[in-house]
Amino acid sequence: MKDGGDKKWRGKVEWKVRGEWSAEQVWEMAGDFCGMGRWVPTLDKCERAAGEENTPGCVRYMEAGGKRADGRPARWVLEQLLDWAHQRYTYKMLDSGYGLTGYLATLELLVHANEAGHGHDDGHDDGHANVVVQWTFEVDPSTFFVTYQGFLAFFIATFERMMLSLEDALLHSTCIPNNSPPSSSTSM
């Protein structure tokens, strides 16, 4: 991670998804731009506000943290999808309760070979690779977070909570990890 100086704050965080999930299984959940509410339980709302699902121009609105005494959401963001391609999307924040400007981020899945040599460093998944979620950002310096380190701490904590929620959602989904045979049920 690096500090972009006084022009932009920039950073990158990565998370290796635990388990033998294929990139396609992870992307089915993480790649749905307006579907974060399915796997991030701290979101009170995540909905499409404009445009077509997972299509550049699509706008999502999210709320979290409950309501303030005046009924307004405690935390909210309005974000627009700029690019959505194979296991990668880029979006910008249009407005938020944080007062951030110039926020641009990319969420991308990377596939790395595991110890057995499966997977490809070129990003193609053979179903037996380590899947890494990478989130990069740039944002104008913020008076809300005061320092780059303050924003970075917030960004990392948010990312870690999201990735733990993603792993939990994968475990409780109907997806079957690559190294596990489908379970069979027997009735008596």
Side-chain angles (χ1 to χ4, degrees):
M1 289 173 249
K2 62 182 180 177
D3 185 340
D6 49 355
K7 292 195 180 210
K8 286 279 188 184
W9 290 345
R10 292 179 174 81
K12 171 177 70 173
V13 290
E14 292 184 346
W15 183 276
K16 181 186 174 294
V17 178
R18 291 174 290 189
E20 291 295 322
W21 304 100
S22 71
E24 284 75 20
Q25 289 168 314
V26 174
W27 188 247
E28 183 179 327
M29 219 168 271
D32 184 359
F33 184 67
C34 296
M36 284 182 66
R38 294 183 314 148
W39 56 274
V40 179
T42 56
L43 287 176
D44 300 325
K45 183 184 285 189
C46 181
E47 61 189 21
R48 182 171 44 92
E52 250 183 82
E53 293 276 338
N54 299 328
T55 303
C58 177
V59 175
R60 72 179 172 196
Y61 173 77
M62 296 185 291
E63 292 181 3
K67 301 284 184 187
R68 297 178 182 179
D70 65 3
R72 294 181 306 150
R75 296 185 308 273
W76 61 274
V77 295
L78 188 66
E79 298 170 327
Q80 182 179 34
L81 185 64
L82 301 176
D83 183 45
W84 192 91
H86 181 73
Q87 298 173 349
R88 178 180 199 264
Y89 66 74
T90 300
Y91 63 98
K92 69 179 179 179
M93 187 178 293
L94 299 174
D95 200 2
S96 77
Y98 298 107
L100 296 173
T101 58
Y103 179 85
L104 181 71
T106 298
L107 184 81
E108 180 174 13
L109 296 189
L110 306 174
V111 179
H112 301 290
N114 63 21
E115 293 77 32
H118 299 289
H120 306 279
D121 287 331
D122 64 1
H124 292 90
D125 181 14
D126 66 0
H128 300 286
N130 294 317
V131 179
V132 175
V133 179
Q134 181 183 80
W135 197 16
T136 59
F137 74 87
E138 71 176 45
V139 64
D140 294 333
S142 165
T143 56
F144 184 86
F145 290 98
V146 183
T147 66
Y148 172 75
Q149 289 74 22
F151 180 75
L152 192 57
F154 169 80
F155 191 81
I156 290 169
T158 299
F159 181 68
E160 288 175 352
R161 284 191 307 273
M162 284 173 51
M163 293 302 97
L164 289 170
S165 294
L166 177 64
E167 288 176 347
D168 187 56
L170 283 165
L171 285 172
H172 293 94
S173 74
T174 57
C175 294
I176 299 169
N178 289 328
N179 64 346
S180 302
S183 60
S184 60
S185 58
T186 57
S187 48
M188 301 185 126

